[in-house]
Amino acid sequence: ENKSLFYSVKDKNIFKGKTVSIFGGGDSALDWAIELSKESTVNLIHRRDEFRAEKILQDRLYKKVDEGKISLILNANLDEVTGEDFVTGINIKHNDGQVISLALSGVFIAIGHKPNTDIFENHLEMTDGYIVTRSGFNSGATSTSVPGVFAAGDVADYTYRQAITSAGFGCMAALDAEVFLDS
């Protein structure tokens, strides 16, 4: 079992002075690469030979590439993540079949994010695939549009998407469910 971890760009301080790889070719991938290159060595890996990101982000990216802060690996896909307790490397498979290995400390996947909420469509109030929760100052912050149903983590969190915030909201949902069951 590989216990390797994947990260969000908000975890960038963990990788100060280390090498990371980002997969993707859209706005998020380029934005993350530019941001992470301020403190880390960055490999940006994309399955095509051109990016779909906005031109201004592409211009900023190529400036960082010219400065030697970002390396591009195009026409390639993730084949394998290596490591035991943490990521130690990746294997990348180029479109021509060639596989290369890279040593690194972190993997960032920036190829879009869609929460796994399809089962709740037409049952709970949702916005852009995310379950809407009540939030606010009173208990029941994780309440959904259906009494007794609570949501936490990535299904209800468009903004933070961090393991620690998911764990915190999971605890809140459990406490909200307890209050609901006791009432």
Side-chain angles (χ1 to χ4, degrees), residues 116-124 126 131:
N116 190 11
T117 58
D118 291 346
I119 192 171
F120 302 109
E121 279 194 43
N122 301 317
H123 300 288
L124 297 175
M126 297 172 61
I131 298 170

Side-chain angles (χ1 to χ4, degrees), residues 87-108:
V87 172
T88 58
I90 56 173
N91 294 327
I92 302 165
K93 188 172 188 177
H94 286 273
N95 292 351
D96 65 6
Q98 176 190 12
V99 177
I100 63 169
S101 297
L102 295 175
L104 48 77
S105 299
V107 176
F108 295 78

Side-chain angles (χ1 to χ4, degrees), residues 26-68:
D27 289 351
S28 293
L30 273 63
D31 188 42
W32 290 11
I34 293 163
E35 184 63 28
L36 286 162
S37 73
K38 295 175 183 175
E39 303 287 343
S40 305
T41 302
V42 176
N43 300 301
L44 179 60
I45 303 162
H46 186 46
R47 63 187 171 141
R48 296 186 179 98
D49 61 355
E50 56 187 49
F51 299 105
R52 291 186 174 181
E54 296 289 330
K55 182 169 180 354
I56 191 165
L57 285 172
Q58 291 186 45
D59 292 345
R60 289 179 189 156
L61 172 77
Y62 287 118
K63 182 178 179 189
K64 295 285 187 175
V65 169
D66 290 344
E67 293 171 358

